[in-house]
Amino acid sequence: MSRGNYTTVKEFILVGFSDVLELQYFLFAVFLCIFIISLSAHMFLIVLYRFSTNLHTPMYFFLANFSLLEICYISTITPKMLVNLLSGNKTITFYGCTSQMYCFLLLASTECYLLAAMSYDRYNAICHPLKYNSIVTRGACIKLIVGSWIIGFVVATIQTFLTFSLPFCGPNKINHFYCDIPPIMALACTDTKFNEIATFLIVIFLVIGAFMLTVLPYVQIIWTIVKHHSTTGTKKAFSTCASHLIVVTIFFGSGSVMYLRPKSSYGTNVDKFMSLMYTIIAPLLNPFIYSLRNNDVKFAVKIFFFNLKNTEL
């Protein structure tokens, strides 16, 4: 088919999860609760960091920035998904779809390397405690955060351009609940082999690279704890590292499965479940695992509400 015979698609339809009205209402209630809890938890952590002097350390500086990123991340997809669950009109404009994909890729890619930066911080705190303050300075923290955003910007720009430079000439039903690369490429009216290879290489660099940079410091942490710490300290550290690694595995593992498969396997309900893991579930778990289980945070919460109560009196 020649380029001139293509009919330009001006809007897409997000199929979502189900056409059964009762099930849509149930899913709306579930996802709305998750969205509110996630949003509230991350916002609270940012406020807590701002007003708790005992949390003004590199670790919580990273966590505060991480929470801000997560707020933007879940707000990119969830509100539109909630509207679609209640509305019979599930359309999204071509440029709206482009914007959603760009924002999602920017934030998800940034998160990959911000997680790596956070594990690097923990590695230096536990494995090099005497040099920690000289290695993890505020300037170093800012550079790591800015570097993560730069990587996210580059990845999002390249992938969004490659995806939406494809011709779309008819089918416009995206068998997904948001504008993601694989289901949109499946609608293209041309061979997408180049895009598939490009996506594969970028995911290898982004997801696998960031995963290794995130996991290896935790492996070194565990090894250091086994060698030098007491049994009680070892159990506590193993528990903390294990919980962190569970969330990291959910985020990176589900993303890898989604993007490292051939085009022929796109569009199944398994895809939607896998996407839920890194777009909805992981952001819900992160504040509780990374922060709210931490003794420093628990102490800061007590002081925060104590001061708040005294202020009201």
Side-chain angles (χ1 to χ4, degrees), residues 118-139:
M118 291 164 64
S119 69
Y120 173 73
D121 168 69
R122 291 298 82 209
Y123 163 75
N124 283 293
I126 296 175
C127 299
H128 303 290
L130 298 179
K131 298 180 180 179
Y132 177 72
N133 291 330
S134 61
I135 297 175
V136 189
T137 61
R138 188 171 184 83

Side-chain angles (χ1 to χ4, degrees), residues 4 10 20 37 77 84 88 110 126 158-159 195 209 236 238 304:
K10 295 183 179 179
V20 180
I37 293 171
I77 293 171
N84 288 349
T110 301
I126 296 175
I158 293 173
Q159 279 289 178
N195 293 68
K236 182 179 178 181
F238 265 118
F304 177 80

Side-chain angles (χ1 to χ4, degrees), residues 83-311:
V83 170
N84 288 349
L85 284 170
L86 287 185
S87 172
N89 181 13
K90 298 184 179 183
T91 62
I92 183 170
T93 65
F94 182 89
Y95 293 109
C97 194
T98 305
S99 300
Q100 187 186 60
M101 178 184 287
Y102 181 84
C103 291
F104 165 72
L105 291 174
L106 169 64
L107 297 165
S109 302
T110 301
E111 181 168 331
C112 287
Y113 280 88
L114 189 54
L115 286 170
M118 291 164 64
S119 69
Y120 173 73
D121 168 69
R122 291 298 82 209
Y123 163 75
N124 283 293
I126 296 175
C127 299
H128 303 290
L130 298 179
K131 298 180 180 179
Y132 177 72
N133 291 330
S134 61
I135 297 175
V136 189
T137 61
R138 188 171 184 83
C141 293
I142 292 173
K143 288 178 182 178
L144 287 170
I145 291 171
V146 171
S148 299
W149 279 99
I150 290 173
I151 292 173
F153 170 77
V154 172
V155 170
T157 301
I158 293 173
Q159 279 289 178
T160 305
F161 173 77
L162 287 175
T163 302
F164 286 97
S165 63
L166 292 169
F168 299 95
C169 60
N172 67 338
K173 287 188 176 182
I174 301 173
N175 189 19
H176 212 26
F177 59 92
Y178 71 99
C179 294
D180 202 4
I181 297 171
I184 290 180
M185 275 203 299
L187 300 178
C189 299
T190 188
D191 181 44
T192 60
K193 185 63 66 177
F194 174 79
N195 293 68
E196 291 178 57
I197 294 172
T199 299
F200 180 85
L201 293 176
I202 290 173
V203 171
I204 288 293
F205 161 75
L206 179 73
V207 177
I208 306 301
F211 179 73
M212 295 302 295
L213 289 174
T214 304
V215 170
L216 288 178
Y218 282 123
V219 172
Q220 185 61 43
I221 287 170
I222 293 172
W223 176 247
T224 300
I225 290 168
V226 170
K227 286 172 61 179
H228 301 292
H229 283 228
S230 64
T231 303
T232 304
T234 301
K235 288 181 179 179
K236 182 179 178 181
F238 265 118
S239 175
T240 303
C241 290
S243 59
H244 289 191
L245 287 172
I246 287 171
V247 174
V248 168
T249 302
I250 291 173
F251 181 76
F252 285 108
S254 55
S256 299
V257 171
M258 184 68 184
Y259 292 103
L260 296 179
R261 291 177 302 138
K263 178 181 176 181
S264 59
S265 61
Y266 296 163
T268 65
N269 289 327
V270 176
D271 291 344
K272 299 174 188 178
F273 173 76
M274 297 302 293
S275 296
L276 280 176
M277 298 304 290
Y278 60 81
T279 59
I280 305 294
I281 304 302
L284 172 67
L285 298 177
N286 285 339
F288 299 99
I289 290 179
Y290 279 102
S291 300
L292 299 183
R293 293 175 67 251
N294 189 290
N295 289 328
D296 291 335
V297 174
K298 291 178 181 178
F299 176 75
V301 169
K302 291 179 182 178
I303 297 299
F304 177 80
F305 283 110
F306 177 78
N307 292 335
L308 188 64
K309 182 179 180 181
N310 288 342
T311 302

